[in-house]
Short mmCIF file of all heavy atoms in Angstrom, two decimals:
data_model
loop_
_atom_site.label_atom_id
_atom_site.label_comp_id
_atom_site.label_asym_id
_atom_site.label_seq_id
_atom_site.Cartn_x
_atom_site.Cartn_y
_atom_site.Cartn_z
N MET A 292 -28.23 18.58 -26.75
CA MET A 292 -26.83 18.02 -27.13
C MET A 292 -25.79 18.80 -26.39
O MET A 292 -24.78 18.26 -26.01
CB MET A 292 -26.71 18.18 -28.67
CG MET A 292 -25.48 17.66 -29.14
SD MET A 292 -25.55 15.90 -29.26
CE MET A 292 -23.99 15.48 -29.98
N ALA A 293 -26.07 20.07 -26.18
CA ALA A 293 -25.01 20.88 -25.39
C ALA A 293 -24.87 20.38 -23.91
O ALA A 293 -23.87 20.35 -23.49
CB ALA A 293 -25.58 22.32 -25.44
N GLU A 294 -25.99 19.88 -23.42
CA GLU A 294 -25.90 19.37 -22.05
C GLU A 294 -24.95 18.12 -22.01
O GLU A 294 -24.22 17.90 -21.05
CB GLU A 294 -27.31 19.06 -21.51
CG GLU A 294 -28.15 20.18 -21.11
CD GLU A 294 -27.50 20.87 -19.94
OE1 GLU A 294 -27.02 20.28 -18.98
OE2 GLU A 294 -27.53 22.09 -19.99
N GLN A 295 -25.05 17.23 -22.99
CA GLN A 295 -24.21 16.08 -22.97
C GLN A 295 -22.79 16.49 -23.17
O GLN A 295 -21.93 15.92 -22.44
CB GLN A 295 -24.69 15.19 -24.13
CG GLN A 295 -23.92 13.83 -24.08
CD GLN A 295 -24.43 12.90 -25.17
OE1 GLN A 295 -25.19 13.28 -26.07
NE2 GLN A 295 -23.83 11.75 -25.29
N GLY A 296 -22.40 17.41 -24.03
CA GLY A 296 -21.03 17.80 -24.19
C GLY A 296 -20.57 18.53 -22.86
O GLY A 296 -19.34 18.34 -22.51
N SER A 297 -21.42 19.25 -22.20
CA SER A 297 -21.04 19.81 -20.99
C SER A 297 -20.78 18.79 -19.89
O SER A 297 -19.76 18.96 -19.10
CB SER A 297 -22.11 20.75 -20.52
OG SER A 297 -21.77 21.35 -19.25
N ALA A 298 -21.66 17.74 -19.85
CA ALA A 298 -21.41 16.70 -18.85
C ALA A 298 -20.03 15.92 -19.18
O ALA A 298 -19.36 15.53 -18.22
CB ALA A 298 -22.55 15.65 -18.83
N GLU A 299 -19.82 15.67 -20.51
CA GLU A 299 -18.55 15.01 -20.77
C GLU A 299 -17.30 15.83 -20.41
O GLU A 299 -16.30 15.34 -19.98
CB GLU A 299 -18.58 14.74 -22.31
CG GLU A 299 -19.50 13.66 -22.67
CD GLU A 299 -19.63 13.54 -24.28
OE1 GLU A 299 -18.96 14.27 -24.97
OE2 GLU A 299 -20.37 12.64 -24.70
N SER A 300 -17.34 17.17 -20.72
CA SER A 300 -16.36 18.02 -20.28
C SER A 300 -16.05 18.07 -18.77
O SER A 300 -14.85 18.04 -18.38
CB SER A 300 -16.70 19.38 -20.81
OG SER A 300 -15.62 20.33 -20.45
N THR A 301 -17.20 18.07 -18.07
CA THR A 301 -17.07 18.12 -16.58
C THR A 301 -16.44 16.80 -16.07
O THR A 301 -15.63 16.82 -15.23
CB THR A 301 -18.50 18.30 -16.03
OG1 THR A 301 -18.96 19.55 -16.41
CG2 THR A 301 -18.38 18.32 -14.43
N LEU A 302 -16.89 15.71 -16.68
CA LEU A 302 -16.39 14.29 -16.33
C LEU A 302 -14.84 14.30 -16.61
O LEU A 302 -14.03 13.89 -15.77
CB LEU A 302 -17.10 13.22 -17.07
CG LEU A 302 -16.57 11.85 -16.75
CD1 LEU A 302 -16.78 11.47 -15.32
CD2 LEU A 302 -17.26 10.76 -17.66
N LEU A 303 -14.41 14.77 -17.72
CA LEU A 303 -13.09 14.82 -18.13
C LEU A 303 -12.18 15.64 -17.25
O LEU A 303 -11.14 15.27 -16.80
CB LEU A 303 -12.92 15.25 -19.57
CG LEU A 303 -11.53 15.07 -20.26
CD1 LEU A 303 -11.11 13.56 -20.31
CD2 LEU A 303 -11.63 15.57 -21.80
N ARG A 304 -12.69 16.84 -16.90
CA ARG A 304 -12.00 17.72 -15.98
C ARG A 304 -11.90 17.06 -14.66
O ARG A 304 -10.79 17.17 -13.98
CB ARG A 304 -12.57 19.05 -15.95
CG ARG A 304 -12.30 19.96 -17.15
CD ARG A 304 -12.86 21.27 -16.92
NE ARG A 304 -14.26 21.12 -16.76
CZ ARG A 304 -15.23 21.99 -17.04
NH1 ARG A 304 -14.87 23.17 -17.54
NH2 ARG A 304 -16.46 21.71 -16.81
N GLY A 305 -13.03 16.46 -14.19
CA GLY A 305 -12.97 15.80 -12.80
C GLY A 305 -12.07 14.67 -12.87
O GLY A 305 -11.36 14.44 -11.79
N THR A 306 -11.98 13.92 -13.88
CA THR A 306 -11.06 12.78 -13.90
C THR A 306 -9.59 13.30 -13.91
O THR A 306 -8.73 12.66 -13.29
CB THR A 306 -11.27 11.88 -15.08
OG1 THR A 306 -12.80 11.50 -15.13
CG2 THR A 306 -10.47 10.67 -15.13
#
Side-chain angles (χ1 to χ4, degrees):
M292 185 74 177
E294 283 296 318
Q295 184 179 5
S297 177
E299 290 171 358
S300 177
T301 302
L302 178 64
L303 191 57
R304 284 185 301 208
T306 307

